[in-house]
Amino acid sequence: MAPVAAVTRWRLLLVLSAAGFGAMGTPKPPNILLLLMDDMGWGDLGVYGEPSRETPNLDRMAAEGMLFPNFYSANPLCSPSRAALLTGRLPIRNGFYTTNGHARNAYTPQEIVGGIPDGEHLLPELLKGAGYASKIVGKWHLGHRPQFHPLKHGFDEWFGSPNCHFGPYDNRARPNIPVYRDWEMVGRYYEEFPINLQTGEANLTQVYLQEALDFMKRQQVAQRPFFLYWAIDGTHAPVYASRPFLGTSRRGRYGDAVREIDDSVGKILSLLRDLRITENTFVFFTSDNGAALISAPKQGGSNGPFLCGKQTTFEGGMREPAIAWWPGRIPAGQVSHQLGSVMDLFTTSLALAGLAPPSDRVIDGLDLLPAMLRGQLTDRPIFYYRGNTLMAVTLGQYKAHFWTWTNSWEEFRQGIDFCPGQNVSGVTTHTQEEHTKLPLIFHLGRDPGERYPLRGALLPGSQTAASRTGSEPQSMAICHGGSRTLKWELGAPCSYHQPQLCQH
């Protein structure tokens, strides 16, 4: 990777100059912290309107940084979303998707493909080209066999588990999930790392916090730029919290877990202040997918005003809380209406390091630095995949559904409901309904809950034109991967089941 770093050194200098922190001699690229929550909803933070206001540290982070109200995961399930974040590519490109009934199961991709493909370039692997030390703390979820180990894909250190703390091995009462420190298994959940399913008590978040703090201190002493991927799972059911936080939230056990996470984020940012490296450390907070409403209210979060939750491609399943923090670089107290994606964290991190994205493949992530540093907005679509099917697309404030489906009647009758209390006739469906010839269109600015489809309307080729004339949108044409186009116009439907077949 040394040649890549050399070729792109000028990009780093440009970034440093734009941010206003060029220095004499060779500049040190900023540290990068990506804080990825598990099943945390858009509406779980006070800054997003949660009424109990129990997230003071995250609310302060937003006040000191930039809030992204229109930020999305790349998939409504754990594994594909994490694969997309670390590769900058849609799951349908990086191989982490299934054809199994629109991929209802978050773990299914690993049962089929085993794990993240060797041919994918993950973010920590590329960051080595700029001298970064990297660590993952928490949930990997991109393959449990040795060939898919995080240290085989660029990470220098790991403390956590290949999977979530609830399974899938053995049974839910005693899942038998291993916990690793680098290559060594140091215990198992529910054994050496106990979780009390009756009370919800577990010390895991505190362990994960200490791992993060220790890593940052060590790298600061070594004067080496670091990448920390803090991917903890305390808000994934069954939720847990340590004893000092149990019973302290008005939102029950889930709220206890959120309060502990908020406290942990506060301690991470405080350490950066104590080390006096805030102006050379970029921090981004978000979630892998929407809140799991099937676990709510006691074990699941809130998706705010949005429809449905995890496992669906409605807004509640894929719109995430998102905060960027970089004191002295990102203007404080700002709100960006840039359409963002977890895939953008890949491209943005490379830009921070002065590295160019791989040129031998399509990269779907957008560099968010222009939005963060200069308030510049970039037109781009958001694609909502479920398995290998493109279910919906958002462009500007318009969203088109080509397929609607929550979950099957069979599951629904068994009490499995991804949209509890949110039935919208003709929208939340228990059969897979096709709308490719006449998509269901919503204006997310006027109707964020996707309750009132625009009758007889089509998506806009230009939102500004639609706004200027006051007319409803007439057509849609958006680029997918540079040389490919998704297009829908009256009388000219395109195959959205396999959009990559639609050419210029």
Side-chain angles (χ1 to χ4, degrees):
M1 296 299 299
V4 177
V7 169
T8 59
R9 189 179 301 275
W10 64 273
R11 296 188 72 240
L12 174 58
L13 295 173
L14 286 177
V15 170
L16 296 174
S17 175
F21 63 99
M24 298 298 291
T26 303
K28 177 184 175 183
N31 307 308
I32 300 169
L33 274 70
L34 302 184
L35 312 178
L36 184 71
M37 302 302 103
D38 199 349
D39 292 5
M40 181 177 278
W42 188 95
D44 279 333
L45 309 185
V47 71
Y48 281 99
E50 206 292 310
S52 65
R53 307 290 290 186
E54 294 177 345
T55 55
N57 294 291
L58 285 163
D59 296 347
R60 179 185 174 187
M61 181 183 178
E64 295 175 348
M66 180 174 285
L67 195 70
F68 286 82
N70 305 310
F71 195 85
Y72 292 84
S73 68
N75 192 276
L77 293 172
C78 301
S79 296
S81 179
R82 291 160 192 267
L85 185 156
L86 291 173
T87 64
R89 288 154 55 80
L90 286 163
I92 199 169
R93 296 198 203 278
N94 64 39
F96 232 77
Y97 66 94
T98 73
T99 58
N100 177 20
H102 295 290
R104 287 190 292 270
N105 191 316
Y107 197 71
T108 300
Q110 294 170 57
E111 295 173 352
I112 292 177
V113 303
I116 193 71
D118 284 342
E120 291 297 317
H121 295 316
L122 272 61
L123 180 57
E125 172 192 351
L126 297 172
L127 288 176
K128 286 183 182 297
Y132 280 75
S134 61
K135 179 165 186 168
I136 171 175
V137 175
K139 175 176 169 180
W140 170 238
H141 222 214
L142 299 183
H144 60 271
R145 298 182 181 92
Q147 64 266 37
F148 304 118
H149 194 286
L151 271 61
K152 294 278 283 187
H153 291 274
F155 283 102
D156 299 306
E157 300 181 23
W158 179 31
F159 183 89
S161 176
N163 313 302
C164 197
H165 61 278
F166 73 88
Y169 301 122
D170 292 354
N171 55 63
R172 286 181 179 269
R174 203 167 186 79
N176 197 31
I177 301 299
V179 177
Y180 285 86
R181 179 177 298 283
D182 300 332
W183 287 103
E184 180 185 1
M185 193 184 86
V186 293
R188 297 182 185 275
Y189 290 137
Y190 302 91
E191 296 180 17
E192 292 81 4
F193 298 90
I195 303 172
N196 189 318
L197 292 176
Q198 297 301 315
T199 66
E201 182 179 351
N203 203 42
L204 282 167
T205 299
Q206 292 302 308
V207 174
Y208 293 149
L209 169 62
Q210 196 59 50
E211 288 290 328
L213 300 179
D214 291 346
F215 175 73
M216 292 190 293
K217 290 176 185 176
R218 283 189 283 110
Q219 302 314 314
Q220 177 61 10
V221 169
Q223 288 294 296
R224 186 177 181 186
F226 60 82
F227 167 51
L228 174 62
Y229 176 47
W230 201 61
I232 67 172
D233 62 3
T235 45
H236 190 300
V239 297
Y240 58 78
S242 61
R243 184 172 299 175
F245 293 92
L246 284 176
T248 64
S249 170
R250 286 176 284 177
R251 301 182 62 198
R253 191 180 298 177
Y254 182 87
D256 296 342
V258 172
R259 289 201 66 211
E260 184 167 19
I261 287 170
D262 177 78
D263 182 78
S264 298
V265 172
K267 287 183 169 63
I268 287 172
L269 300 185
S270 291
L271 177 62
L272 296 175
R273 295 186 185 98
D274 292 344
L275 295 175
R276 300 187 179 185
I277 56 173
T278 57
E279 292 192 2
N280 200 42
T281 304
F282 171 81
V283 186
F284 201 96
F285 177 95
T286 189
S287 178
D288 64 347
N289 46 248
L293 299 185
I294 190 174
S295 304
K298 294 182 180 180
Q299 298 275 331
S302 166
N303 293 314
F306 304 120
L307 185 62
C308 298
K310 177 182 179 177
Q311 303 206 48
T312 77
T313 48
F314 297 107
E315 290 297 285
M318 291 183 58
R319 199 186 296 210
E320 313 304 333
I323 304 170
W325 186 87
W326 194 5
R329 312 306 175 204
I330 295 176
Q334 301 297 304
V335 176
S336 174
H337 293 284
Q338 173 66 54
L339 287 181
S341 165
V342 295
M343 296 180 291
D344 301 342
L345 300 179
F346 173 90
T347 311
T348 304
S349 296
L350 291 179
L352 287 167
L355 299 172
S359 59
D360 62 344
R361 64 200 62 205
V362 172
I363 300 296
D364 298 293
L366 180 73
D367 180 0
L368 293 178
L369 287 179
M372 294 175 182
L373 303 180
R374 300 190 297 276
Q376 177 181 324
L377 301 184
T378 302
D379 287 334
R380 60 94 65 88
I382 295 294
F383 296 99
Y384 304 70
Y385 274 92
R386 196 163 174 170
N388 66 334
T389 300
L390 181 62
M391 303 287 285
V393 174
T394 284
L395 187 63
Q397 296 195 71
Y398 290 94
K399 181 176 181 180
H401 289 268
F402 310 119
W403 294 83
T404 53
W405 183 54
T406 55
N407 59 317
S408 69
W409 278 115
E410 179 183 4
E411 291 176 322
F412 184 71
R413 293 184 181 112
Q414 294 173 358
I416 300 173
D417 189 357
F418 301 150
C419 310
Q422 292 185 300
N423 179 61
V424 180
S425 180
V427 178
T428 55
T429 58
H430 294 290
T431 55
Q432 298 174 20
E433 299 292 334
E434 183 176 0
H435 308 280
T436 56
K437 293 184 178 179
L438 187 63
L440 285 180
I441 309 241
F442 297 89
H443 188 288
L444 295 177
R446 297 192 294 259
D447 179 24
E450 299 171 275
R451 287 166 172 80
Y452 308 104
L454 302 175
R455 302 300 177 187
L458 314 179
L459 268 181
S462 169
Q463 183 186 347
T464 56
S467 301
R468 186 168 58 248
T469 62
S471 62
E472 294 294 0
Q474 296 300 311
S475 66
M476 173 190 183
I478 50 182
C479 292
H480 187 195
S483 64
R484 292 161 179 158
T485 296
L486 296 175
K487 187 173 182 181
W488 193 90
E489 293 180 302
L490 187 61
C494 184
S495 171
Y496 284 95
H497 186 74
Q498 294 293 340
Q500 63 269 31
L501 299 179
C502 303
Q503 304 293 331
H504 275 300

